[in-house]
């Protein structure tokens, strides 16, 4: 079993610098404890808990980073610190990402990380898993959708934009 220490893990700090700057000492202690449990679960059980199979270290690093961004977004929405994320938070984050400038692959990676967070919450706390209401699949075709000019008829006017 891989152990995560409060000082850090193979992927870096348990609590990244931008997050440390936002939290009080007490909140940092709570968030560190929360992240240690989550990261240990990812490393040891996250991929297939029934088989005791964890994720590869690169996947753990990536998801830990993305989930920290998600938590900071939740705190902004709630105007307070919490580790109690909800399905509404996850849906809101997905909507926020859908309108963002990042690639479909990046958006899909965030979705996978949040979905995995709720699998952990189900395993750890008996909560319901999250079924996303927004699909952010990766583009598997040869052409980049941003290469196509889209025309939308909005009544009397024709609007042209890049997708």
């Amino acid at each position: 079993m891989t152990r995560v220490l409060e000082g850090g893990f193979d992927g870096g700090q348990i609590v990244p610098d931008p997050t440390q700057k936002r939290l009080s000492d007490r909140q940092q202690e709570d968030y560190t404890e929360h992240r240690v449990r989550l990261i240990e679960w990812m490393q040891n059980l996250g991929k297939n808990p029934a088989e005791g199979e964890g994720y590869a270290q690169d996947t753990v690093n990536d998801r830990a980073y993305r989930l920290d961004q998600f938590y900071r977004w939740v705190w902004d929405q709630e105007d307070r610190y919490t580790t109690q994320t909800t399905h509404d938070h996850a849906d809101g984050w997905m909507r926020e990402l859908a309108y963002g400038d990042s690639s479909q692959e990046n958006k899909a990676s965030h979705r996978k990380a949040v979905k995995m967070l709720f699998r952990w919450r189900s395993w750890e706390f008996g909560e319901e898993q999250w079924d996303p209401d927004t699909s952010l699949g990766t583009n598997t075709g040869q052409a980049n959708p941003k290469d196509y000019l889209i025309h939308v008829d909005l009544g009397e006017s024709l609007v042209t934009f890049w997708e």
Side-chain angles (χ1 to χ4, degrees):
M1 177 161 136
T2 304
R3 300 295 301 177
V4 176
L5 304 174
E6 289 186 12
F9 68 112
D10 287 345
Q13 297 173 290
I14 297 297
V15 179
D17 288 335
T19 302
Q20 286 182 21
K21 292 174 184 171
R22 292 181 64 148
L23 301 177
S24 70
D25 290 343
R26 187 176 202 161
Q27 291 168 337
Q28 280 188 44
E29 184 178 323
D30 180 66
Y31 189 59
T32 297
E33 216 173 271
H34 179 79
R35 297 261 299 173
V36 164
R37 289 196 329 258
L38 172 60
I39 292 167
E40 281 184 348
W41 181 85
M42 283 193 279
Q43 289 177 323
N44 296 291
L45 302 171
K47 188 172 187 177
N48 187 345
E51 299 291 325
E53 182 182 5
Y55 286 107
Q57 191 61 52
D58 285 345
T59 302
V60 171
N61 299 348
D62 179 71
R63 292 191 179 175
Y65 171 78
R66 291 175 194 281
L67 288 174
D68 185 63
Q69 290 178 316
F70 171 61
Y71 276 103
R72 283 185 272 144
W73 180 86
V74 168
W75 303 336
D76 288 343
Q77 300 310 300
E78 294 292 322
D79 199 27
R80 67 183 177 90
Y81 165 80
T82 183
T83 58
Q84 303 301 310
T85 55
T86 66
H87 295 175
D88 287 342
H89 290 136
D91 290 337
W93 179 236
M94 292 304 107
R95 282 190 295 277
E96 178 101 0
L97 290 171
Y99 287 100
D101 249 354
S102 65
S103 70
Q104 287 301 103
E105 184 176 349
N106 182 53
K107 293 172 186 179
S109 293
H110 277 280
R111 181 179 174 271
K112 287 178 189 175
V114 172
K115 194 166 182 168
M116 186 222 56
L117 171 66
F118 282 94
R119 277 198 321 273
W120 172 68
R121 294 188 69 81
S122 175
W123 177 268
E124 185 82 7
F125 306 113
E127 297 178 3
E128 285 186 38
Q129 292 192 33
W130 173 60
D131 184 24
D133 68 358
T134 304
S135 174
L136 297 171
T138 58
N139 177 22
T140 58
Q142 296 289 1
N144 182 344
K146 291 185 185 270
D147 293 339
Y148 296 99
L149 193 58
I150 304 299
H151 297 281
V152 177
D153 187 1
L154 297 174
E156 295 180 18
S157 63
L158 185 64
V159 177
T160 303
F161 60 93
W162 292 101
E163 182 174 285

